[in-house]
Amino acid sequence: MPITTKAKSPGELEDWPAIREAIRRYVRTRTGRADMADDIAQDVLLRLIALRETQAIGSIFALAFRIADNLMVDTNRREIRQSGDLDEDWPCDAPSLDRVLDSRRAVEVLSSCLRRMPPLRREVIIRRRLRQESCRAIGNDLSMSSKAVEKHITRGLVDLRQAFERAGIEPVGE
């Protein structure tokens, strides 16, 4: 015996078993899962009946398919969240926590070493290595020969290498 309920307009009856079967076929075709089809079809009928009590529905089948689509999306999202499986094919552009911590430690060692350097050597290293200024430009600004600038750079780099070695940090991008 078909389950029917009165529609808003007098004498109109809904064929709930036909709607349920149409939704089951639709979900089964879209997902390939009979268990999901049964659950979603049941939820769709419950929601349609509740809506029918309070609102006039223009096309019951159109609304049923829309509700089914939304329920399929919700079900998939819930299953993904609950599965706990991470897709390892998703690359992450952010550095790992270990790399961030190692980089912070390297910056601390670099800063500490620069603070301990004589002021002239520190300025030469910063201008050459960080600001990419030429030895000639640094020498002209500081009234030094290019050879003297190169010696300050060499001594500064030796100081930095020793500081990194003492801290157990491998220098990168020499």
Side-chain angles (χ1 to χ4, degrees), residues 1-5 13-26 28 37-38 41-42 44-46 48-49 60-61 64-65:
M1 176 172 187
I3 302 170
T4 57
T5 184
L13 298 177
E14 300 297 343
D15 188 2
W16 297 112
I19 295 170
R20 181 176 184 274
E21 188 55 36
I23 295 301
R24 286 181 68 229
R25 277 193 315 268
Y26 177 69
R28 210 174 27 244
D38 290 334
Q42 184 67 31
V44 167
L45 288 181
L46 291 173
L48 285 174
I49 291 169
I60 195 86
F61 278 93
F65 288 119

Side-chain angles (χ1 to χ4, degrees), residues 118-135:
L120 183 59
R121 186 179 303 166
R122 178 177 49 240
E123 184 174 350
V124 169
I125 286 288
I126 289 172
R127 289 177 72 168
R128 178 69 184 128
R129 299 300 284 207
L130 297 178
R131 296 182 187 151
Q132 303 293 316
E133 294 181 26
S134 69
C135 290

